[in-house]
Amino acid sequence: MPHVNLYHHDETPSPLQLVWKSFRARFLSMAALYLLLAMILLVLVSPLLAPFNTSTQFSDAIALPPSWVESGNMQYLFGTDDLGRDMLSRLLIGGLYSLGLPILMVAVSSLIGMSIGALAGIDRTIKYQSLSRLFDTLLSIPSFLMALIIIAILGTGFNNVAFAITLSLIPQFIFVTRNAVHEEWHKDYVTASRLNGCSKAYLLYRVILPNVTPTLVMQLTVSLSVAIMDIAALSFLGLGIQAPTPEWGSMLARSLDEVYLSPWSMVLPGVTLFVTIMTINVVGDSLRRALKERVNS
Amino acid sequence: MTRYLAGRLSVFIIAVFLLTVFSFSLNYFFPGDPITNMSGVRSFQSSYPLIMEMRGGKENIATQYMHYLHHLFTGNWGQSLSNGTPVFDDGIQHFVASMELIILALLVAVTLGLPLGVFAASRFRQGSDKAVVSLAMVGYSVPVFWLAQLMILLFAIKLGWFPITGQINPLYGVEPQTGSIFIDVFLSNSEYKAAALQDAINHIVLPVMILAIMPMMLLLRLMRNATQEMLQKPFIKAARARGLSEWRVLVKHAIPNALQAVLQQTTLLFSLMLTNSIVVESIFNWPGMGNWLIRSIFERDYPIIQSAVLMFAFVILFFNLLVELYHGWRFPIVRHEQYATR
Amino acid sequence: MQLLDIRNLTVEMQTPQGIVRVLDKVNLQLTEGEIHSIVGESGSGKSLLAKAIVGFINPNWQVTADRLWWNGKDLLAMSPQQRRQITGRDMAMIFQDPNAYLDPNSTVEQQIVEAIPQGDVRGTFMRRRVDRKTRVKRLLHRVGIRDHEPIMDSYPFELSQGVAQKVSIAIAIAHRPKLLIADEPTTAMEPSTRLQIHRLLARLAVSQQMSVVLISQDVGSILPETKRLTMLYCGQLMETGPAKDILSEPAHPYTDSMIRMSLQTQQELPHKARLPTLPGAIPTLRHMPIGCRLGPRCPHAQKTCVKAPTATHERQRVYHCHFPLLVTSS
Ligand SMILES: Nc1ncnc2c1ncn2[C@@H]1O[C@H](COP(=O)(O)OP(=O)(O)OP(=O)(O)O)[C@@H](O)[C@H]1O
Ligand code: SF4
Ligand SMILES: [Mg+2]
């Protein structure tokens, strides 16, 4: 029997689909998303792409300008720095530390933070409420300061820095998840499902999660840009990833002295860092916008 | 209001108390002898037994904490491990120097960011709105240390307009007394006060500008979104339908209500400000708390590290307290929402 | 002359499923000082009609009309500024949920003061201040708030719904409008407050020579002073005319069922009695029936009803129905 569509049936998209739909409709949002994905991909394969070892110093090519400048050399596409190290390789591998590592750190801290936040969001008694106000107050202490304290205790070094920033990101996730879940939990439709006898776990996963997902993804982008900024700033100050490792922030740290000699050594890492953060911020902002459009429509 | 005030103050006091507990415990987390970490006196120094006695080093942890509190509140914050100067006196100077920078930058950020945000909202999705918002996005995404480098390159090196390190040229012989460079210039007995003042202003312009940009862009975006959201509200539309002028609707109704929403997010602003001030002070060698903290971390000067951390955290809590009190006082609905529902 | 004269007002809006006609050729005439009730079930477009009159409508929606005249002036031909000026001066509207229409961060006094026309207060700075305050007090008294002191300094969220509605009436009448549109002003209120507000509106109409358009969901709750009555269903005009005639002798099946419904609910219903409602439910926006939109639910519907009925003029009354209940006398 042929399938006949007798009744006109309108699809009612889920909240998530709605957000995605209005996100997709905007060119800038999609461009930023694709750019971000491309950058992540590039970082993942960077060890294969990098033409040279990042610490090899070519004594015959010290402070060589990028290839598009007259005196440049095609062999060193983005030029070399004052020690004769290839900029392109350093930028590519630097992405591992400046973008790859923050993604990893955000993944770990979000897992921890969101689980705690979700649990904290669903049970709130009066006592808990006053506690949470206190918690909010303490949360106002910036994550960068917390990372600094942890580094002061543990000392610098790759592992310590990664640990410090991961730890300092967790509270924000707890905060945002808890507020989002809590707000959702007290909406009437959830109260109704609760009165219908749905279990807490069911409510959390099937009822609340779809509604708070966009907010959480937005927080992911915020935390990612904070993590990138923090690790770059720490390295810039000399407290983060240490010198021979090509991190974008630490590459910038030594560039001011030589800016007359090789301006590209300041421009290239800076632009890379800026574009990365900008892309993430645009994705986050577009998401916020899409979310608001859903609520308004 | 009394209830709101009491609630806020008690939370503030408990938070400060927790902060002292935390900074006390830092002495145990830091490597080395806790008493040395607190006082800056090493165990081989002759005054160590006395300090040990005064800080209750042999007694239980609670007593030690009480001793610590006592020292903290009497301004006895120990001495620097690296050069032996009293931490409290240094701390006050650095604190004032930082505050000068931060408050000036906040003023710039607020006076430019809020009006621009309102302007963008009133031109919602038109060309000028898009331009302002894109600018804000760019400004908000530039890493502050790179921005500082670019500005130094442009204004200090290429144009030669501004000097790039410290608060003032040491040739003027202005002794740091309060930490605030402007007050110091007035207090000094230099013959060239006017010139010294001019020099101090030249020194402060660049760091203030750099420090102001990110918070300004943040405020701009928050204000623009909040105002735009308010302009959609029924009561705004009703006010318009009543024939009020667009200007009056904006000034009397949209802006106050948008401010109420923006003030709820100022914690973000302050923490951005302080984070950036640490970086900017280091770059410009500004004798403020951030610079002090970073240097002490390099030198493992634990008495200074914990004092700087304590001061930073206190400043944040205090700023937030002020904003919350203003918020509750100016917008009664805030108090209502907190105590009347749920 | 007619104060307000609307002919074939049509409002169409864009939805993801296409263009939907939410108001379909609605007519409305209003003379000075009369109370006009608009009645219809939820979603029949009553609020939309009111908002279209005061120009309170989403600019993306298409508003067309053969005539939308106010005092002989064509509102649709005006520039938005001009229109806002006229509606701001001559009309006022109050809503079902007064709190959403009051600024949460200004006091009652500030908001009423703002609504008093600038030209009303004269004199020196101090005199004006005192004058404004007395005017605010007088307005509050006029809307039945005796105890003005605490109310003046309150913020909207501190008021009960009834008081908030009275305050918004005070704001609405502060500039002595010629037309006050009240969109279900009492739906969420208890009966005594509802009675107070209804009386207040009736009194204002008489004492201020102000026309009042009162929107409500059932015929039972319209004011006794109501001059004319308009029945709307799904954006279509069903019947309009003098309230007394319509209530005693409805011509349209929809009016008839609404009246019987409201009578029945006021009496005691016998056990297991059927409610005299129309069968079926109000169609959703996307699935409007063609022709007479009441069709699927109408007990008298026949084949011809898939064509929209034209207006039948009967004494002062107009109805749109192929098979009216009234046997035409002519
Ligand atoms: N902003 C909007 N977006 C989409 N549809 C709308 C909007 N406003 C009104 N509608 C639709 O227009 C129709 C008429 O709405 P309107 O509010 O005028 O009804 P009403 O008669 O006032 O009903 P009620 O008695 O519930 O107030 C409804 O079907 C509603 O769904
Ligand atoms: S036109 Fe037909 S369907 Fe419509 S009300 Fe009259 S009888 Fe009923
Ligand atoms: Mg309505």
Side-chain angles (χ1 to χ4, degrees), chain B residues 204-224:
Chain B
I204 211 169
V205 168
L206 213 45
V208 164
M209 252 162 57
I210 292 164
L211 200 50
I213 281 184
M214 245 170 107
M216 181 172 109
M217 299 308 176
L218 177 71
L219 267 181
L220 196 167
R221 288 176 42 198
L222 290 179
M223 192 65 190
R224 182 243 182 200

Side-chain angles (χ1 to χ4, degrees), chain A:
Chain A
M1 198 177 93
H3 181 79
V4 180
N5 194 355
L6 272 183
Y7 298 99
H8 175 63
H9 179 70
D10 282 319
E11 296 275 334
T12 317
S14 74
L16 262 181
Q17 284 169 325
L18 274 176
V19 172
W20 172 237
K21 214 176 127 191
S22 74
F23 185 94
R24 212 178 40 190
R26 199 158 155 254
F27 171 74
L28 189 63
S29 317
M30 285 317 277
L33 186 63
Y34 282 131
L35 187 58
L36 181 62
L37 292 179
M39 280 193 290
I40 292 174
L41 194 71
L42 206 61
V43 162
L44 286 180
V45 299
S46 63
L48 303 175
L49 289 182
F52 298 103
N53 187 318
T54 56
S55 45
T56 318
Q57 305 182 359
F58 298 97
S59 48
D60 54 338
I62 284 180
L64 203 66
S67 54
W68 55 86
V69 181
E70 197 114 334
S71 51
N73 185 336
M74 264 319 276
Q75 196 181 358
Y76 310 102
L77 201 60
F78 282 10
T80 57
D81 66 3
D82 59 325
L83 297 177
R85 296 175 294 195
D86 179 46
M87 283 300 279
L88 177 62
S89 312
R90 286 179 71 73
L91 281 179
L92 276 172
I93 301 293
L96 274 182
Y97 300 95
S98 295
L99 177 60
L101 184 61
I103 289 177
L104 207 65
M105 296 189 299
V106 167
V108 173
S109 59
S110 64
L111 269 184
I112 301 173
M114 284 178 187
S115 344
I116 301 178
L119 289 182
I122 54 177
D123 277 312
R124 293 247 280 193
T125 56
I126 296 291
K127 197 171 77 192
Y128 186 86
Q129 221 172 40
S130 44
L131 260 183
S132 80
R133 173 134 313 138
L134 187 63
F135 183 70
D136 297 351
T137 309
L138 292 176
L139 249 183
S140 55
I141 294 167
S143 70
F144 188 69
L145 191 63
M146 290 201 264
L148 277 181
I149 299 170
I150 298 170
I151 287 171
I153 297 172
L154 299 175
T156 56
F158 182 84
N159 289 338
N160 292 346
V161 171
F163 176 71
I165 294 184
T166 309
L167 209 61
S168 72
L169 290 177
I170 292 178
Q172 275 300 324
F173 278 112
I174 301 183
F175 179 71
V176 169
T177 315
R178 188 203 60 189
N179 283 0
V181 169
H182 178 250
E183 196 174 302
E184 215 57 40
W185 188 261
H186 283 276
K187 285 193 179 157
D188 290 339
Y189 78 98
V190 179
T191 309
S193 321
R194 216 166 47 186
L195 292 177
N196 282 344
C198 298
S199 76
K200 270 186 186 166
Y202 177 87
L203 278 177
L204 203 54
Y205 285 109
R206 304 304 302 271
V207 180
I208 292 183
L209 198 62
N211 284 296
V212 299
T213 303
T215 316
L216 296 187
V217 177
M218 212 164 74
Q219 177 58 27
L220 279 180
T221 65
V222 170
S223 286
L224 186 58
S225 86
V226 166
I228 293 175
M229 285 258 202
D230 279 1
I231 201 164
L234 279 177
S235 307
F236 179 85
L237 293 173
L239 292 168
I241 300 199
Q242 298 295 319
T245 314
E247 201 273 348
W248 297 339
S250 66
M251 285 164 79
L252 281 174
R254 44 174 309 141
S255 68
L256 198 55
D257 317 329
E258 54 205 56
V259 71
Y260 266 130
L261 250 175
S262 48
W264 58 92
S265 68
M266 185 177 110
V267 172
L268 288 178
V271 167
T272 320
L273 194 56
F274 164 64
V275 169
T276 311
I277 293 174
M278 174 98 171
T279 311
I280 295 168
N281 283 348
V282 169
V283 170
D285 197 57
S286 312
L287 203 59
R288 187 192 56 76
R289 208 178 144 121
L291 200 60
K292 207 163 92 182
E293 259 161 35
R294 185 203 100 195
V295 173
N296 283 350
S297 71

Side-chain angles (χ1 to χ4, degrees), chain C residues 36 70 84 101 217 286 291 311 320:
Chain C
H36 192 124
W70 172 256
R84 198 157 125 186
Y101 291 87
Q217 290 197 334
R286 314 201 277 267
H320 294 72

Side-chain angles (χ1 to χ4, degrees), chain C residues 3 31-35 90 92 120 138-139 141-143 169-180 199-212:
Chain C
L3 193 58
T31 50
E32 221 156 282
E34 79 169 18
I35 299 182
D90 288 347
D120 280 16
R138 239 185 282 149
L139 277 169
H141 289 173
R142 203 178 303 160
V143 297
I169 295 177
I171 292 176
I173 62 173
H175 62 283
R176 296 180 300 274
K178 297 205 177 86
L179 168 65
L180 176 67
R199 280 224 205 105
L200 175 62
L201 290 175
R203 207 174 61 225
L204 286 172
V206 175
S207 67
Q208 316 252 316
Q209 267 299 298
M210 189 168 73
S211 309
V212 174

Side-chain angles (χ1 to χ4, degrees), chain C residues 13 22 41-48 61 96 184 217 285:
Chain C
M13 64 186 196
V22 274
E41 284 171 295
S42 183
S44 52
K46 308 179 296 288
S47 307
L48 223 52
W61 296 359
Q96 178 179 347
E184 300 180 35
Q217 290 197 334
L285 268 183

Side-chain angles (χ1 to χ4, degrees), chain B residues 15 21 23 68 72 75 90 101 110 132 169 226 244 277 283-284 303:
Chain B
V21 173
S23 81
Y68 173 81
L72 194 66
D90 273 7
L101 203 59
V110 170
V132 171
N169 192 326
L244 294 187
S277 83
I283 294 175
F284 285 90

Side-chain angles (χ1 to χ4, degrees), chain C residues 238 252-254 292-296 298-302 304-305 307 309 320-324:
Chain C
M238 298 284 120
H252 198 282
Y254 183 64
C292 177
R293 289 181 172 177
L294 191 62
C298 181
H300 305 269
Q302 293 178 33
T304 34
C305 295
K307 273 209 214 103
H320 294 72
C321 181
H322 291 299
F323 307 100

